[in-house]
Amino acid sequence: MQDGNMVANFEVTCVWDLKATLGEGPIWSAKDHAVWFVDIKSSKIHRYDVSIGSKQSWTAPSPCGFIAPRKRGGFVVGCKTGLYLFELKTGAFDLLTHIEPHLPGNRLNDGFVDAKGRLWFGSMDDDEANPTGALYRYDARGLKKMDDDYVITNGPAVSPDGKTLYHNDTLKKVIYAFDLDDDGEITGKRVFARLDTEGHTPPHGEGYMDGPVVDSAGNVWNALFFGWGVNCYAPDGQLIRRVKFPVSNVTKIAFAGRDLKTVYATTAAKGLSADDIAAQPLAGGLFSFEADISGQPQYEIDHV
């Protein structure tokens, strides 16, 4: 299949030109018809009301990698200094637990809630140099390290049948797949998809594997940092489509709306030169497009 035949004809528009340094982790909240996401480097949490277009922001205690909803209300936010409970009504952040106090150079990055209400998230070296990052599971049994040896983690995401977990090694440009059992244990780590660095313009080639999301058919939609868009992979790992963006650094998407077919995407200005910003002035904005397939529901943490 030629590249041109894989390009999806979706109209991508910027709905919030907030110029985030490192926008990340959009989630859909059906309860308040809003998309929530973070700007990691600015320690900001943002809310975009899709019904009326209103915008709100809060400052987190430290750089925040993800925000995840709780069944009891409010959110869990993953910050450099640990997991926090975030209460919307008061705007208060209460420390839930430290994660890696022995690794002060690390911070938390991307996160995900599975259908059983378990929280999954990764840590990474904030300097993006050392393989001190790890994948964690956090549920009623406590915190457990599931995998390690990552410089930059992204994901994870889980298939609709709950049997496959995907997690990215960003600098290696790889999406890994794991077998996931009912108890939340993972085995059988293998390469699911890899970006090709051959035949592409240096220094970044096709870009880097950023945040993954799995749709209702089991396709893996993976945002591309320095890659100008999103790749969509079939459950067998075959690249089946690309969505092009007007900015180079796409970090993650979320399926939203009543039919879960309205896609929102976070982007970043991080790593761009002044000339790059001049050429892509919407870098760091929140973008949207209408997809032809629905996503999975946004699940909620059930143990805190």
Side-chain angles (χ1 to χ4, degrees):
M1 182 180 289
Q2 298 298 313
D3 278 7
N5 296 329
M6 287 189 289
V7 176
N9 189 27
F10 298 138
E11 183 180 354
V12 178
T13 59
C14 183
V15 298
W16 187 355
D17 180 17
L18 77 165
K19 304 189 187 306
T21 303
L22 187 52
E24 180 62 274
I27 61 169
W28 167 241
S29 174
K31 293 178 180 178
D32 60 345
H33 308 287
V35 175
W36 292 78
F37 61 103
V38 300
D39 182 352
I40 297 174
K41 294 299 185 179
S42 299
S43 303
K44 292 289 187 181
I45 295 170
H46 300 294
R47 176 184 180 273
Y48 175 71
D49 188 313
V50 305
S51 299
I52 60 176
S54 64
K55 308 170 181 72
Q56 293 173 278
S57 301
W58 295 261
T59 300
S62 59
C64 44
F66 67 86
I67 181 169
R70 302 167 63 213
K71 283 187 177 179
R72 302 175 190 178
F75 299 87
V76 171
V77 179
C79 295
K80 180 177 174 64
T81 46
L83 298 179
Y84 286 78
L85 297 177
F86 170 49
E87 175 54 55
L88 179 59
K89 292 181 180 179
T90 63
F93 291 85
D94 295 314
L95 180 65
L96 183 61
T97 181
H98 293 292
I99 302 300
E100 295 173 335
H102 62 294
L103 294 171
N106 272 16
R107 66 167 174 82
L108 301 188
N109 201 38
D110 204 1
F112 169 79
V113 184
D114 69 18
K116 294 182 180 293
R118 299 176 293 222
L119 175 64
W120 300 78
F121 61 91
S123 65
M124 60 170 280
D125 175 22
D126 206 11
D127 291 332
E128 303 179 6
N130 300 306
T132 53
L135 170 64
Y136 291 92
R137 186 194 69 209
Y138 183 59
D139 59 16
R141 297 166 291 184
L143 180 72
K144 182 177 180 179
K145 182 189 288 188
M146 307 300 291
D147 196 25
D148 57 15
D149 195 34
Y150 295 85
V151 178
I152 301 175
T153 58
N154 266 293
V158 173
S159 60
D161 63 7
K163 295 182 178 180
T164 305
L165 181 140
Y166 303 95
H167 189 237
N168 294 4
D169 188 317
T170 295
L171 290 192
K172 291 181 181 177
K173 304 190 175 191
V174 168
I175 303 175
Y176 292 114
F178 300 80
D179 297 319
L180 175 65
D181 68 20
D182 289 342
D183 291 328
E185 301 300 326
I186 55 175
T187 55
K189 182 178 181 179
R190 57 203 179 268
V191 173
F192 171 75
R194 186 190 302 272
L195 289 176
D196 181 15
T197 57
E198 299 297 327
H200 293 274
T201 303
H204 303 297
E206 291 184 285
Y208 297 87
M209 296 291 197
D210 212 293
V213 173
V214 184
D215 67 25
S216 59
N219 304 308
V220 180
W221 296 66
N222 198 90
L224 301 174
F225 204 94
F226 288 128
W228 296 89
V230 177
N231 279 354
C232 179
Y233 299 91
D236 64 0
Q238 179 184 356
L239 177 63
I240 55 176
R241 62 171 56 173
R242 303 179 193 270
V243 182
K244 289 189 173 181
F245 274 64
V247 295
S248 65
N249 298 341
V250 187
T251 55
K252 196 170 186 178
I253 70 166
F255 287 88
R258 294 177 185 236
D259 59 2
L260 296 176
K261 288 186 176 181
T262 302
V263 176
Y264 289 88
T266 47
T267 67
K270 179 180 179 290
L272 300 182
S273 67
D275 288 344
D276 292 333
I277 295 294
Q280 41 181 306
L282 296 176
L286 179 68
F287 288 79
S288 180
F289 63 87
E290 296 296 324
D292 54 5
I293 192 168
S294 61
Q296 297 186 68
Q298 172 64 53
Y299 298 109
E300 298 173 319
I301 300 169
D302 66 1
H303 68 283
V304 292

